[in-house]
Amino acid sequence: MHSGSEAVTTARAPAILANGDRVVIVYSDDRVGGYDLYMALFDTRLTRLIDDVRVTTTPGDSMFAGLARGGTSIGVLFEDQRDANWEVYFTRLLCAE
């Protein structure tokens, strides 16, 4: 759970992928209302390298990500409720070599 000056939010359902000298974590967070996916990037000592990146912005919740490395991108498979029912979606995150 995150707490800031405004409200308490919840992060859950992380997916973790080791990517060379980086660790990628994609997780669901409700900091802007419904659950969206965010990506966090760390080095091998788990020092955060960048601010979290919002991966999904659709209405409805995005949850339960799975990650896979392929070439110069990381595939993200996840469940999403944007059409008022749970469906599976896929997106790619580009990664530096």
Side-chain angles (χ1 to χ4, degrees):
M1 292 173 63
H2 305 284
S3 62
S5 59
E6 297 175 13
V8 174
T9 64
T10 302
R12 55 193 252 179
I16 302 170
L17 177 72
N19 184 31
D21 62 349
R22 303 286 188 257
V23 177
V24 177
I25 300 176
V26 174
Y27 63 96
S28 298
D29 192 298
D30 68 347
R31 69 182 79 172
V32 293
Y35 283 96
D36 289 306
L37 296 181
Y38 289 83
M39 190 245 346
L41 185 63
F42 300 87
D43 66 16
T44 55
R45 293 176 162 233
L46 298 182
T47 301
R48 187 177 297 270
L49 298 174
I50 61 173
D51 290 337
D52 292 358
V53 174
R54 191 171 175 189
V55 177
T56 59
T57 59
T58 58
D61 294 334
S62 299
M63 304 280 296
F64 311 117
L67 304 177
R69 168 79 189 214
T72 60
S73 63
I74 294 173
V76 182
L77 187 70
F78 60 98
E79 293 183 45
D80 190 286
Q81 204 177 24
R82 69 184 73 177
D83 297 325
N85 62 323
W86 289 104
E87 296 177 357
V88 176
Y89 290 86
F90 176 83
T91 192
R92 286 188 181 101
L93 303 174
L94 295 177
C95 52
E97 292 296 318

